Amino acid sequence: MSHLKLISFLSLIFLSSNLLADNHSVILIKNATIITASDQGTLENTDLLIEDGIIKDIGKNLIVNDGSEIDATGKFITPGLIAPHTTLGLQEIELEAETRDDSTDHYSAGFSIAKAFNPASSLIPYNRAGGITSAIITPSSASGIFSGMASAFKINGALMTESMIEDIALVMNLGGNKDSRASTIMSLEDSFEVARRFAMKRSSIMRGDDFDFGDYSIRDLDAIQRLLKQDIPLVVRANRASDLLRMIEIANQYEIRIIFAGAKEAWRIADTIAEESIPVIIDPMDNIPSSFDSIAARLDNAAILENSGVKVLISSQSDHNSYLSRQGAGNAVTYGLSKEAAIKALTIHVAETFGIADQIGSIEAGKDADIVIWDNDPLEVSSFTTKVLIDGENMSLMTRSKRLRDRYLEKLGLN
Amino acid sequence: MRRFIHCMFSLIFIINLTVISSTLEASSEAEMMNGAFQSTYKPDPSPKILIKNGTLLTGTGELLEKSSVLIENNRIVSVGSGIDETGATVIDAEGKWITPGIIDIHSHMGVYPAPSLRSNSDGNEATSPTTPDVWAEHSVWTQDPQYTLALKGGITTFHVLPGSANLIGGRGVTLKNIRSVTVQGMKFPNAPHSLKMACGENPKRVYGNRNTEPSTRMGNVAGYRKSWIKAKAYQKRLEEYESKSAEAKELEYAPSRDLELETLVGVLKGEILIQNHCYRGEEMAIMLDIAKEFGYKVTTFHHAIEAYKVADILAEQGVCSAMWADWWGFKHEAYDMVWENVAIVDQAGNGTGCAIVHSDSAIGIQHLNQEASKALAAGKRSGLDIDKARAIQWITLNAAKGLGIEDRVGSLEAGKMADVVIWNGDPFSVYSTVEKVFIDGHIKYENENVEEFERTDFDLGIIDPEGDRL
């Protein structure tokens, strides 16, 4: 594992030095309203300087001698949005199983979804044009109680895309199955026990000593062990307040880090979640009591969580339209979330939660220049992107949707 | 012939009423059923209320600043400025926006209620590919908590359809968003029935997986046509019997009632409106040819992802399209979504297209204004000249047209039902919410008075015994 990391680290250095050598680039974006998603808050009439794919400076009246300038007067800039829970790059058509790579029947916790990521997926240009620049790609289901491991990718569309970080979180579901949730909890505890025993005797087992693996593979047990070592967190997809409380108990007992996803009833225990510093991924628009696990769903879930001090991350339920998290964030504001927190819920809160805030998630000097320029208030449904930059590179905003539109506008004589 | 006579007879009595509706059309069937399944909804007379100084999106294509709506006795009395306030309760709507009640032409509330349980999933009679005999209203659960959520989004009327598992899925029903223990008490008075048909993937998947017909799109088309052939034959038998003299009728039995064929004949007679789930452009064109072959009309294509590809044909034939702003990719026939679909359909045929924004979703129905806003913004970005005054029609008047009730709702016009929404701001903004909803002149939701809000039975004591769902 560390060997792999070293290689990717070296190749990163190699790539960056390449950039420096061949493509020294300077971009100055002038006179924008910059929503930094950092302590600096929102800055009016401010310039943003990008050098070699990195944010270099933010300030008034910045000047460059050599480089391209973008006038953003009247426009808004946010960090590139990060989809906190999506299958972007893992599917084309939801109902066509052959076009999907987000599930397996073979592996459990060790199911590493990064290996299936397709940077050329047809979903990516739509979502990039909608302002998404990075995605936490998350497996939907795997064998047993775990769904596998999530990874972080930038969606710049390059075929050579490397993950930002692979296997950054373990994922599981709780509730809503035919099997009792008690059984899920017990299986979870059992899996911890097996992983612990395996870790203690790993080298002897690898040399041939007997070990009762049960339903798990070596990959699965290694992944669970990483959770137990607090190397990675566990994303728990659950809605019922009592399930969330149960998982908090388990997290404290086994000293693991957890993240809630779904969490339609999280508002009922907002103070407890805040006390435990558990980040929560929600779709603020989903107020439907769609099962007895989400009877208390409501539109101000995000606002109540924020007021209690919970770190809120905002996701869209449709992976094809992961970028609609922005509409969710706008609605969360309508129902009481602060605008500042709404932008953070789409950016820096995601980066912090998944341990990539040193690179992305806010507009601060030294971070990757993943930024979006909007024609108006980025939380407003009628607004849209005018430019998307990933690592300072201007992304094409063309999509199949626009190509089809143009073809038929012409055919109908409406162009 | 008897139907004709009956219509003439009714006309004499109805002629003095302000609104002449398709009651006449529906009445022959109502008579055959001894008046069963009719709407029992009768609002109490409502007080005289003047909503003044608001920004009005009338639904007739106008935006009126600093204007007023006067409602009384369940109706809109007048719209505009300089209206006499005498005797009216005045609501100052300065800074607020006023629209007609929002109408969703595609909903499964009540037949796929929340919480979603096997025991209350009543929207698809997926036991045979053609079930024109089933009526969605006979599945509707009147205590679905989704109704009240939709009401807070300004929904005053919605159309509940059977699902799309079947080629011919059964009758849809138009409901007013009012609480009633009976579905008859929710039914929009004298709204035409609809018939749900479905193109494409869903029927062929559902029945193909069982190795029965249809398993292909051509199998789908054969299925529709076989049904219409039977309907034509039945219609002919009915007409032949009707044309006989009284003496001749005494000598033979009347043709036996046939629930399936009654519905189809209702369509052939123009009394029942076709609501056709259909994604792909070429399939819409095929469906229009089937309608041509058998002499009926498709009123609205639903989920019409590719309507933009045939927008000229749809405009020419006067067929409405009900669309999402941006849903796509959940199946292959939903792959060619364009963000400008609604706007293109609207502008086709020199602006004669009939575009409707629908939800098909208990979440989407609460924010139909936002869906319209996204569709409008996309249209503007592509250079189409559409304004809010026109775009509001996508969720009001055009939806009413698609349901055959545009003579009674869908716009702020004198004589129409007093279904009015007051918004705290521009309804095309994500930040705007509904302040008040009037249905037939009565306040049914008021954001300042949430405690008074009439919840469904399900909402009561469900989170905890003392509290109600909000």
Side-chain angles (χ1 to χ4, degrees), chain B residues 8 23 44 71 112 132 145 174 209 217 277 283 295 309 313 315 327 343 378 390 393 397 429 438:
Chain B
M8 288 302 291
T23 320
D44 292 335
I71 57 179
Y112 284 114
T174 300
N209 285 347
R217 284 184 161 84
H277 158 124
E283 282 187 290
K309 296 188 183 180
I313 300 173
W327 284 22
R390 184 169 173 95
Q393 296 180 315
L397 189 64
S429 167
F438 295 86

Side-chain angles (χ1 to χ4, degrees), chain A residues 238-256:
Chain A
N239 285 307
R240 199 170 85 177
S242 61
D243 287 341
L244 304 179
L245 285 171
R246 183 79 60 235
M247 280 312 300
I248 290 173
E249 247 175 64
I250 296 277
N252 288 333
Q253 187 185 339
Y254 290 90
E255 297 181 338
I256 58 172

Side-chain angles (χ1 to χ4, degrees), chain A residues 285 323-324 326-331 334 374-385, chain B residues 325-326 367-378 381 426-432:
Chain A
M285 294 176 77
Y323 69 94
L324 288 183
R326 186 169 68 85
Q327 188 183 357
N331 277 275
T334 306
W374 306 89
D375 58 8
N376 215 320
D377 174 358
L379 295 173
E380 184 56 86
V381 278
S382 53
S383 306
F384 214 72
T385 60
Chain B
D326 46 25
H367 313 280
L368 217 48
N369 56 316
Q370 292 176 24
E371 298 307 298
S373 181
K374 288 187 288 182
L376 172 62
R381 281 198 302 275
D426 177 357
F428 288 88
S429 167
V430 74
Y431 303 122
S432 296

Side-chain angles (χ1 to χ4, degrees), chain A residues 88-283:
Chain A
L88 280 182
L90 301 176
Q91 65 154 319
E92 299 299 330
I93 294 170
E94 204 176 317
L95 272 181
E96 300 289 340
E98 292 79 6
T99 74
R100 294 184 63 165
D101 284 307
D102 53 323
S103 296
T104 182
D105 292 332
H106 301 291
Y107 288 97
S108 179
F111 176 45
S112 171
I113 202 63
K115 299 180 200 316
F117 180 71
N118 175 17
S121 159
S122 64
L123 280 70
I124 285 178
Y126 290 79
N127 284 284
R128 196 172 50 220
I132 302 271
T133 56
S134 298
I136 310 300
I137 63 162
T138 310
S140 302
S141 69
S143 167
I145 53 165
F146 293 104
S147 305
M149 284 185 288
S151 288
F153 280 86
K154 292 202 177 187
I155 56 166
N156 59 16
L159 279 177
M160 301 291 280
T161 303
E162 298 263 339
S163 65
M164 295 182 70
I165 317 181
E166 242 168 69
D167 304 335
I168 53 172
L170 203 53
V171 186
M172 71 172 287
N173 298 330
L174 178 59
N177 295 323
K178 279 185 190 157
D179 195 20
S180 164
R181 66 232 305 139
S183 162
T184 307
I185 299 282
M186 288 155 71
S187 300
L188 183 67
E189 292 177 323
D190 292 351
S191 79
F192 291 168
E193 195 48 43
V194 181
R196 215 165 245 168
R197 277 193 283 116
F198 174 71
M200 277 193 300
K201 298 192 286 182
R202 194 178 196 285
S203 48
S204 61
I205 295 164
M206 295 310 276
R207 283 198 304 273
D209 276 12
D210 277 352
F211 185 75
D212 181 7
F213 279 92
D215 294 331
Y216 297 102
S217 70
I218 293 172
R219 289 175 190 273
D220 296 331
L221 296 176
D222 281 343
I224 297 166
Q225 181 58 18
R226 286 185 65 201
L227 173 68
L228 294 171
K229 285 193 304 186
Q230 297 197 351
D231 186 16
I232 52 173
L234 177 64
V235 176
V236 182
R237 294 188 282 231
N239 285 307
R240 199 170 85 177
S242 61
D243 287 341
L244 304 179
L245 285 171
R246 183 79 60 235
M247 280 312 300
I248 290 173
E249 247 175 64
I250 296 277
N252 288 333
Q253 187 185 339
Y254 290 90
E255 297 181 338
I256 58 172
R257 286 190 291 135
I258 56 174
I259 298 163
F260 289 136
K264 284 158 81 168
E265 293 194 344
W267 66 271
R268 299 188 76 185
I269 53 162
D271 289 340
T272 310
I273 296 175
E275 241 165 67
E276 301 286 339
S277 303
I278 299 167
V280 178
I281 306 172
I282 61 168
D283 173 356

Side-chain angles (χ1 to χ4, degrees), chain B residues 144-193:
Chain B
D144 184 351
Q146 297 174 138
Y147 304 136
T148 48
L149 299 177
L151 183 61
K152 291 177 190 176
I155 299 289
T156 54
T157 297
F158 56 97
H159 190 62
V160 178
L161 286 160
S164 53
N166 295 349
L167 299 173
I168 299 176
R171 294 196 194 191
V173 62
T174 300
L175 300 177
K176 291 213 111 178
N177 199 358
I178 47 167
R179 305 290 68 78
S180 162
V181 177
T182 66
V183 71
Q184 293 91 328
M186 293 177 74
K187 279 183 78 169
F188 191 112
N190 300 315
H193 285 202

Side-chain angles (χ1 to χ4, degrees), chain B residues 225-239:
Chain B
R225 296 176 76 204
K226 283 190 277 191
S227 292
W228 291 117
I229 288 168
K230 281 187 214 158
K232 278 286 198 191
Y234 182 66
Q235 186 182 30
K236 196 166 170 231
R237 248 187 297 143
L238 292 179
E239 285 171 355

